[in-house]
Amino acid sequence: MSHELTLSLDHKFSDRLSLHTALAGTFFDGRDRYVTAFDFDPQTNQVFRTYQDRSPLDNSTYSWQTNLNARFNTGSIQYQLLAGVDLVHSISKDGFTNPNEGFFNDLFNPTYNNSTYKDPSSKYFNFKRESTSDSLGVYLQDQVTLLPNLKLLLGGRYDVSSGSDKTVEIFQGERTESYSDSNAGDFSPRVGIVYQPIAPISLYAVFSQSFNPQSGLTRQGEPFGPERGTQ
């Protein structure tokens, strides 16, 4: 089950100055239960089917976005300035249980019943993880009209993020706990230019970079590095 709540406010101080702000919350609570098959034996066509339970599946995300838009002139040059801030806080819980109880069945001639069998060679596995993350982005952009047919865009954004992960694993009765903290930050520039030799034609060039922090851990228990892109 998921719910989403959004509250936004737009205020126009004048024809040249306006403010936009928005608060949002997204909440998800679910459980995933299913039967899966593995350990197939090609000699006997037997496959071991077992029940799996993925719970809890909980995620709560709170976000706040505010930006200010201003337009002004200096002589014949026009400016459209945009300044803003984004703030996101997220909490997620994920769990997974794979018991070693199930039953064997012929893959090509299956029979179904309610009897279960505890396979000593199969692996009982229980996994639970709780993650929290915070990210803050501050950006500034200016669209400059140098001439009626020539526009320049200059902008930059700085993002900083922090997160923590707590993982509990139970494998064949052995319990393992691990903790991880991550911090990352980077600046992403943006530059563009548009030239219109005639009204129906626009020639443009753009350069931009992006930064996107990631959640989760590698197989070695290290946090994933942020995604970075260049266009």
Side-chain angles (χ1 to χ4, degrees):
M1 181 180 296
S2 62
H3 302 276
E4 184 173 349
L5 177 65
T6 302
L7 175 65
S8 62
L9 172 66
D10 292 275
H11 181 70
K12 195 173 183 180
F13 297 99
S14 66
D15 292 338
R16 293 181 174 272
L17 185 64
S18 60
L19 174 72
H20 170 78
T21 185
L23 293 170
T26 303
F27 313 96
F28 176 80
D29 181 10
R31 185 176 186 179
D32 191 7
R33 292 175 287 184
Y34 53 94
V35 174
T36 188
F38 59 95
D39 287 347
F40 174 66
D41 186 348
Q43 302 298 324
T44 63
N45 294 332
Q46 294 288 309
V47 65
F48 187 68
R49 303 181 73 225
T50 184
Y51 164 83
Q52 295 186 353
D53 185 355
R54 190 177 180 195
S55 65
L57 292 174
D58 299 336
N59 182 270
S60 300
T61 302
Y62 308 88
S63 61
W64 172 59
Q65 180 189 66
T66 297
N67 59 63
L68 188 68
N69 194 309
R71 294 184 299 166
F72 57 93
N73 299 347
T74 56
S76 61
I77 301 178
Q78 301 176 2
Y79 300 89
Q80 184 170 334
L81 191 65
L82 178 68
V85 59
D86 296 332
L87 181 63
V88 179
H89 174 69
S90 179
I91 304 172
S92 63
K93 296 179 181 180
D94 188 9
F96 177 83
T97 301
N98 177 25
N100 60 345
E101 292 186 355
F103 60 92
F104 286 98
N105 215 334
D106 191 311
L107 183 64
F108 301 102
N109 186 26
T111 57
Y112 299 100
N113 53 53
N114 294 324
S115 63
T116 61
Y117 172 75
K118 189 168 184 178
D119 178 21
S121 65
S122 65
K123 308 296 190 294
Y124 176 85
F125 182 69
N126 186 288
F127 168 87
K128 293 186 182 299
R129 183 177 69 189
E130 182 173 344
S131 304
T132 61
S133 63
D134 295 279
S135 62
L136 173 66
V138 180
Y139 55 91
L140 181 65
Q141 176 182 288
D142 192 10
Q143 179 178 302
V144 185
T145 302
L146 301 172
L147 298 171
N149 62 345
L150 181 63
K151 295 181 180 180
L152 179 66
L153 181 70
L154 299 171
R157 177 186 176 101
Y158 186 78
D159 289 277
V160 60
S161 67
S162 63
S164 64
D165 283 90
K166 176 185 177 182
T167 303
V168 178
E169 295 183 4
I170 301 175
F171 182 68
Q172 292 185 317
E174 183 177 343
R175 179 186 178 98
T176 303
E177 294 189 13
S178 60
Y179 303 87
S180 175
D181 294 305
S182 61
N183 296 277
D186 205 356
F187 175 75
S188 304
R190 185 182 184 193
V191 180
I193 188 170
V194 177
Y195 173 65
Q196 290 181 284
I198 56 176
I201 297 177
S202 295
L203 306 176
Y204 69 91
V206 63
F207 171 82
S208 64
Q209 290 183 325
S210 63
F211 172 84
N212 185 25
Q214 302 298 301
S215 62
L217 303 175
T218 66
R219 294 183 62 181
Q220 290 73 33
E222 299 294 331
F224 289 106
E227 290 182 353
R228 289 180 170 86
T230 299
Q231 173 180 284

